[in-house]
Amino acid sequence: MKINSILIGFVLLILPHFLFAEVSLNSLFADHMVVQQKSNIPVWGWANPLEKVQVNASWGAKSETIAHADGSWSLQLKTPKAGGPFQIVISGSNQIVLDDVLSGEVWLCTGQSNMDFAMSKFTSDSREEKYQPLVEFIREEVKTANDSFIRHIEVAQTSSLYEKKNNFKGEWRSATANQVKKITAIGYFFAKELRKELNVPIGIVECAWGGTRIQPWLSEDAYMADEELKAFFNQNRAEAKILTAEMSKEGYADTVYQKKLKIWKANKKSVRKPYPSVDPEMDKQMPATLYNGMLSAIIPFAVKGVLWYQGESNSHYLENEYEKYFTTLIESWRADWGQKDLPFYWAQLAAYHVPDERSDMGWASVNDQLRRTLKLRNTGMAVLYDIGEAKDVHPHNKMDAGRRLALWALSKDYKVKVPAVSGPLYKSQKIVGESIVIKFDQVGSGLMVGHKELSAKTIPVDTVLSWFQIAGEDHIWKAAEAKIVSKNTIEVSSSEVKAPRMVRYGWSSNPEGANLYNKEGLPASVFSSEE
């Protein structure tokens, strides 16, 4: 009898939560949102178990479904061609009205701080006076921006070691003077280029976190699908459990950090300063944590494509394995979104003077592995080393960065004719005596030696090519002389390497003066022919 009373009490306690749970939506579905035009988009949220949910859009589309036993529901809604504003009404036990909805093109912007930093971050004075004109330009842009058809929503920065989050707190904002300062700078300038060429609403979904490696952005399922990555993941999780247990002990002391700090001081602070150990439950660098905490909350929101800007934090962490992680990330995200050819465009890292040799070489290696990932279908890459700043890892010229990413989207996804989508990309090499002849793709109307000043157009200059190196079987790299010998080839040689076997270009975190461009003014990619 006592057991029955407890059971009845429990049922009465939880019953109101089911009977009176209001229909709710993922935060992406809100006033001022942008939906992907001319698509069947997923719409989802929560309601009472088995409750009927109806969605009606003012453009004439409607859809309905029944909530699952756990209260979750999702349905497909047909969207119109670009336009608006529209209204969407969601009905169940209650009614939700979404106003000022636009139909257009939606892009996901993701990565670390160079994607995460908003326009306001670039309005402070530059660290080097020569870059101050870029600051003044962005200040004026923030002051005068007035395009309510560029919309942006940011996913809250959340790390989750085990639980997959299904929602977040956020709201859509417009690129107007009082809101644009909160919009991702590179995403804004990308969207501005699309607006200029397409004249349709552009939605930017930002899902980025400064200082993060690539590893936390992969899902656990992606790790489990590859034996090598699975071993890494399992080892990491095992170490996390040990660390969690240690940190929970009374009187815990971070001895690992203290040892690293002692080494750092002994080396006269010439290497990167170590960080204290972080509770794995709170560590944004743990594998799958940002996928769980952020990506999971927005998948499978309908997007046209993905923009990725990340890699700085991997210049000194598994830098030579970056291509494998990045390839896995792209293919796994495409599977999660159910779009096998989801456009995926990214940036090579901009030039920056790092404080240690490993990061200097690692920076170049990440850039080359970003280039090598172009082997995947429907991908593209913007080269940025010529618009970096040696003393600031967050360069101000997000205008050219956004434009260069937009070239890929405009050409490949919207069939807009552009002069070139990319600067020269390494294609192949041929050893000819004591020289190496390099062939390039994406040369446009031809190769040239160029110079770019701030955000001005690149101009041809009469000087020698720089930042080419060659090596023989000993893998000892020597500075090389390079000359353009045809529209798409360069000959490289060095008196110090009589039997060259490989060539590389721009191999540094800060290849200042690297000057190979195509005649359309886009820089050649950092590359190495070394296998």
Side-chain angles (χ1 to χ4, degrees):
M1 187 70 178
K2 184 177 180 181
I3 294 176
N4 287 339
S5 297
I6 293 172
L7 181 60
I8 292 170
F10 176 72
V11 171
L12 291 175
L13 178 66
I14 67 170
L15 194 57
H17 294 285
F18 286 104
L19 292 179
F20 304 109
E22 291 189 335
V23 172
S24 62
L25 294 161
N26 183 282
S27 292
L28 290 163
F29 303 96
D31 292 345
H32 319 301
M33 74 177 297
V34 182
V35 296
Q36 180 59 41
Q37 68 165 322
K38 296 186 287 188
S39 302
N40 284 309
I41 67 167
V43 180
W44 70 94
W46 300 269
N48 286 315
L50 307 182
E51 181 177 357
K52 184 178 180 180
V53 179
Q54 295 178 310
V55 177
N56 290 274
S58 64
W59 59 80
K62 60 179 62 177
S63 186
E64 63 181 46
T65 190
I66 302 296
H68 300 298
D70 64 356
S72 65
W73 60 267
S74 65
L75 52 77
Q76 298 285 313
L77 185 69
K78 189 174 182 179
T79 59
K81 66 180 181 179
F86 299 106
Q87 186 180 81
I88 301 176
V89 178
I90 300 91
S91 303
S93 60
N94 58 297
Q95 189 177 85
I96 301 171
V97 179
L98 307 184
D99 287 319
D100 189 29
V101 175
L102 300 179
S103 183
E105 295 297 310
V106 183
W107 286 80
L108 173 66
C109 291
T110 182
Q112 58 179 111
S113 54
N114 269 304
M115 182 64 80
D116 177 38
F117 273 17
M119 294 284 281
S120 62
K121 293 282 190 179
F122 299 100
T123 57
S124 300
D125 287 346
S126 60
R127 296 181 182 180
E128 296 179 79
E129 186 177 351
K130 63 182 178 180
Y131 298 111
Q132 192 62 24
L134 300 174
V135 176
E136 301 301 335
F137 180 91
I138 294 178
R139 285 174 179 172
E140 185 65 18
E141 189 76 21
V142 168
K143 182 180 177 181
T144 61
N146 188 31
D147 191 345
S148 62
F149 272 28
I150 294 178
R151 306 277 176 91
H152 166 268
I153 189 169
E154 182 176 2
V155 181
Q157 294 173 346
T158 306
S159 175
S160 180
L161 189 61
Y162 300 111
E163 178 191 2
K164 286 186 177 181
K165 303 295 184 180
N166 58 21
N167 208 350
F168 68 100
K169 290 185 178 180
E171 59 184 12
W172 288 88
R173 55 176 61 93
S174 301
T176 52
N178 62 331
Q179 297 185 53
V180 70
K181 62 184 179 181
K182 296 181 180 180
I183 297 178
T184 160
I186 196 169
Y188 168 77
F189 287 111
F190 170 85
K192 191 174 179 181
E193 289 297 305
L194 265 57
R195 285 278 297 132
K196 182 175 69 176
E197 296 292 338
L198 306 177
N199 194 30
V200 301
I202 305 296
I204 295 295
V205 179
E206 180 191 340
C207 187
W209 195 342
T212 56
R213 302 167 183 154
I214 192 172
Q215 283 73 26
W217 294 104
L218 275 74
S219 68
E220 182 175 349
D221 288 342
Y223 279 102
M224 293 300 106
D226 180 275
E227 287 303 316
E228 183 180 341
L229 298 184
K230 179 180 178 180
F232 168 81
F233 181 89
N234 288 339
Q235 180 182 349
N236 188 278
R237 282 293 188 268
E239 292 171 353
K241 289 181 180 179
I242 294 172
L243 181 57
T244 299
E246 284 293 318
M247 297 182 82
S248 65
K249 291 179 181 178
E250 187 176 348
Y252 164 77
D254 194 351
T255 56
V256 173
Y257 168 66
Q258 294 300 331
K259 288 179 181 178
K260 290 181 178 179
L261 190 63
K262 187 176 180 180
I263 294 171
W264 177 70
K265 291 179 178 178
N267 282 299
K268 299 181 179 180
K269 304 179 182 181
S270 61
V271 296
R272 289 178 178 271
K273 185 177 181 179
Y275 295 100
S277 299
V278 180
D279 183 343
E281 293 280 356
M282 307 295 292
D283 191 350
K284 66 182 181 181
Q285 303 291 22
M286 298 290 285
T289 51
L290 301 188
Y291 181 94
N292 290 343
M294 298 172 70
L295 261 296
S296 181
I298 62 172
I299 295 171
F301 188 69
V303 297
K304 181 67 173 183
V306 179
L307 305 181
W308 172 264
Y309 194 153
Q310 189 280 334
E312 297 93 335
S313 291
N314 279 99
S315 66
H316 46 279
Y317 183 82
L318 298 178
E319 58 270 32
N320 296 321
E321 287 79 45
Y322 190 90
E323 181 190 355
K324 181 178 181 68
Y325 283 95
F326 192 36
T327 299
T328 301
L329 181 145
I330 293 171
E331 295 290 43
S332 63
W333 285 17
R334 285 173 166 173
D336 291 338
W337 257 275
Q339 295 177 245
K340 66 178 182 178
D341 291 318
L342 180 69
F344 212 107
Y345 308 131
W346 59 85
Q348 266 194 339
L349 307 181
Y352 170 64
H353 180 68
V354 297
D356 61 279
E357 183 180 0
R358 178 183 175 183
S359 294
D360 185 40
M361 295 295 97
W363 198 280
S365 180
V366 168
N367 269 338
D368 187 44
Q369 294 190 43
L370 284 164
R371 176 193 66 84
R372 291 171 186 258
T373 308
L374 289 170
K375 67 180 184 294
L376 294 183
R377 67 196 180 282
N378 229 31
T379 57
M381 182 180 74
V383 178
L384 305 184
Y385 62 75
D386 64 332
I387 56 174
E389 298 176 28
K391 296 183 180 180
D392 197 337
V393 73
H394 306 114
H396 291 78
N397 192 351
K398 293 297 184 282
M399 296 76 76
D400 277 311
R403 290 189 196 109
R404 290 175 183 180
L405 285 167
L407 289 172
W408 285 96
L410 289 170
S411 176
K412 297 187 71 172
D413 303 306
Y414 303 114
K415 309 308 177 187
V416 174
K417 188 174 182 179
V418 298
V421 296
S422 170
L425 295 173
Y426 169 80
K427 181 179 181 181
S428 63
Q429 70 168 34
K430 182 179 181 181
I431 300 171
V432 181
E434 296 182 0
S435 300
I436 297 179
V437 176
I438 314 162
K439 182 177 288 188
F440 293 88
D441 281 331
Q442 298 297 340
V443 297
S445 54
L447 300 172
M448 76 171 188
V449 184
H451 174 74
K452 181 171 174 61
E453 190 71 25
L454 299 179
S455 58
K457 291 184 177 181
T458 308
I459 59 172
V461 292
D462 184 17
T463 187
V464 297
L465 287 168
S466 61
W467 279 99
F468 279 91
Q469 296 173 302
I470 60 175
E473 294 290 354
D474 57 7
H475 290 247
I476 298 175
W477 293 94
K478 299 293 183 180
E481 295 179 358
K483 59 182 179 180
I484 298 171
V485 294
S486 76
K487 178 181 177 180
N488 66 341
T489 58
I490 285 177
E491 184 179 348
V492 183
S493 63
S494 171
S495 60
E496 296 184 71
V497 183
K498 298 299 183 182
R501 289 293 177 267
M502 58 200 78
V503 61
R504 67 187 188 188
Y505 172 72
W507 206 260
S508 169
S509 68
N510 185 36
E512 187 175 2
N515 55 5
L516 177 61
Y517 290 79
N518 57 24
K519 291 181 179 179
E520 284 66 32
L522 296 172
S525 166
V526 173
F527 76 88
S528 174
S529 67
E530 183 178 13
E531 293 298 331

